[in-house]
Amino acid sequence: MSEQQKIRVAVVFGGRSSEHEISCVTAGGVMSVIDTDRYEVVPIGITRDGDWRVVTADPGELAIVDGRLPSVPDTGAKLALALDTPGAFLEVPPDAVPRLVGQVDVVLPLLHGPFGEDGTIQGLLEMAEVRYAGAGVFASAASMDKVFMKALLTGQGLKTGPYLAVSDRAWTRDRKRVLDNVAALGGVVFVKPARAGSSIGISRVPDATDTAAVTEAIEAARAHDPKVIVEAGIRGREIECGVLESLDGGEPDVSLPAEIHVAEGYDFYDFEAKYLSSSSLSIPADLPDEVTRRVRRLAADAFDALGCEGLARVDFFYGDDGEIYVNELNTMPGFTPSSAFPQMWAASGLDYPALVDRLIRTALNRRTGLR
């Protein structure tokens, strides 16, 4: 295939969220396997300050090395998306007139967390009439906000565990009432930023009635998001499934489920346990056949309930009581070769390069505008 015939794919990564580094790692993994005979990669990094930059396509620059996490440098030409020409980017030199530097056919927004996975960049791309991989504006926003996500899931009849939303106003104006409501959950609780991922800012509190510990945990979560969710702990096993939008418009495809095994020395699957430890996955999870079928069916149901497109990872608890609880849905899961999502699909017969190719093809098949 000639250079002129190649499909131009903008890989956008980094971003302003606390998951900046993990987004860089994801982008490095994707760019290491993308089919360069078919696709021309245009790597675009978003700095922590929100600048869009032309960056290196070398995956080695975006890997975790000796515990060091990568980031987008404040170098390279600044870019802006042109809203009057679909897929076009402008170079924005200092003290000069912006100039058109080329167009892309599709965008892979490999961004995690706020200002990327929450519908913001999706809305920008919709306004610019650019095709992109992954969920649309509403599904991205609803899935990013764990409070609204759980409300939508339960509204569609899917079971979630007990939880409590803590708004900025409630915490600042009526803290005692919040702490009383948390105490009513009883037992172990997990305190999380409502709109963050990669297990950042999460605390495990062994006793919901320990107001000092709960207060400390809420303040830690609020360092990442003024809106907090407190979830009752569920005794059971952590199970995940990958979901992909069908290529032919049919029901979504669901991977074999995986079970998370948290490394020794960690109380739960926090950021360090997830990315910097010996925590592992069992794929397929050792579950009774009927439970496996139920988990996969529920993963597809959750994907549809939130109106997702492209891809998602759905996380469950298989409780000691035999119930299956939907914990959350991630519309842009970690996508490195060692991440759960690609591993589940590899075990299901779709290897990493084929998985990346499928995301691009699904995005290219999608029309712009309302769907």
Side-chain angles (χ1 to χ4, degrees):
M1 182 177 287
S2 69
E3 193 73 25
Q4 288 72 27
Q5 293 174 304
K6 287 185 180 181
I7 296 166
R8 299 195 83 205
V9 181
V11 177
V12 181
F13 60 94
R16 293 165 54 194
S17 84
S18 56
E19 297 175 77
H20 177 100
E21 296 90 348
I22 299 306
S23 173
C24 293
V25 177
T26 289
V30 168
M31 288 193 291
S32 70
V33 299
I34 200 166
D35 183 358
T36 54
D37 290 332
R38 179 176 175 80
Y39 305 112
E40 178 188 352
V41 177
V42 180
I44 299 173
I46 301 178
T47 69
R48 296 182 185 279
D49 294 329
D51 290 334
W52 293 44
R53 304 263 188 178
V54 176
V55 294
T56 178
D58 180 5
E61 296 292 320
L62 298 170
I64 299 175
V65 179
D66 296 329
R68 179 188 62 83
L69 296 167
S71 62
V72 175
D74 291 319
T75 56
K78 285 189 179 183
L79 295 178
L81 187 63
L83 297 180
D84 58 351
T85 306
F89 282 88
L90 300 169
E91 183 179 341
V92 189
D95 303 321
V97 177
R99 63 185 184 88
L100 193 68
V101 293
Q103 290 177 259
V104 299
D105 299 295
V106 66
V107 172
L108 286 184
L110 303 178
L111 298 159
H112 303 304
F115 312 112
E117 195 181 347
D118 59 352
T120 49
I121 193 171
Q122 290 77 12
L124 177 64
L125 296 172
E126 293 279 359
M127 290 176 63
E129 296 188 275
V130 183
R131 290 178 172 83
Y132 59 92
V137 176
F138 177 78
S140 296
S143 300
M144 186 82 254
D145 189 313
K146 295 177 178 65
V147 175
F148 286 115
M149 175 194 66
K150 288 177 185 290
L152 290 168
L153 291 173
T154 55
Q156 292 295 311
L158 282 80
K159 184 182 287 293
T160 68
Y163 68 94
L164 172 70
V166 182
S167 68
D168 181 57
R169 184 177 63 184
W171 184 243
T172 55
R173 294 193 177 191
D174 198 354
R175 183 171 299 192
K176 182 181 184 305
R177 183 178 179 184
V178 170
L179 292 171
D180 288 344
N181 289 338
V182 171
L185 290 173
V188 175
V189 292
F190 289 86
V191 182
K192 306 177 180 180
R195 296 165 293 192
S198 295
S199 300
I200 291 171
I202 298 178
S203 300
R204 179 184 183 274
V205 180
D207 182 359
T209 65
D210 183 344
T211 58
V214 171
T215 298
E216 182 180 356
I218 290 176
E219 291 293 354
R222 281 169 52 83
H224 301 277
D225 187 350
K227 185 176 183 179
V228 172
I229 186 169
V230 182
E231 299 173 345
I234 296 173
R235 295 181 61 86
R237 299 159 63 183
E238 294 188 59
I239 307 295
E240 302 181 335
C241 268
V243 185
L244 289 172
E245 179 184 350
S246 171
L247 286 171
D248 62 6
E251 288 197 357
D253 296 321
V254 182
S255 74
L256 293 170
E259 180 172 5
I260 298 168
H261 302 285
V262 180
E264 187 175 348
Y266 294 91
D267 290 331
F268 67 101
Y269 203 41
D270 63 6
F271 180 90
E272 188 172 332
K274 184 177 291 187
Y275 295 107
L276 303 174
S277 79
S278 59
S279 295
S280 62
L281 297 170
S282 294
I283 310 174
D286 184 14
L287 298 168
D289 290 345
E290 176 56 27
V291 174
T292 295
R293 284 192 291 270
R294 285 169 55 203
V295 165
R296 297 180 76 185
R297 178 68 262 168
L298 288 171
D301 290 345
F303 188 87
D304 285 341
L306 291 168
C308 292
E309 298 169 280
L311 74 162
R313 192 194 70 235
V314 186
D315 301 344
F316 299 92
F317 289 113
Y318 176 38
D320 291 349
D321 57 3
E323 293 283 356
I324 299 172
Y325 301 87
V326 182
N327 183 36
E328 62 182 73
L329 186 148
N330 192 314
T331 56
M332 185 50 70
F335 214 91
T336 70
S338 60
S339 297
F341 188 84
Q343 286 193 63
M344 287 187 287
W345 279 110
S348 305
L350 192 67
D351 66 19
Y352 192 43
L355 180 59
V356 171
D357 185 72
R358 173 152 172 177
L359 288 186
I360 297 171
R361 287 190 295 133
T362 303
L364 287 167
N365 287 341
R366 184 183 304 168
R367 66 180 182 271
T368 58
L370 295 175
R371 296 182 287 278

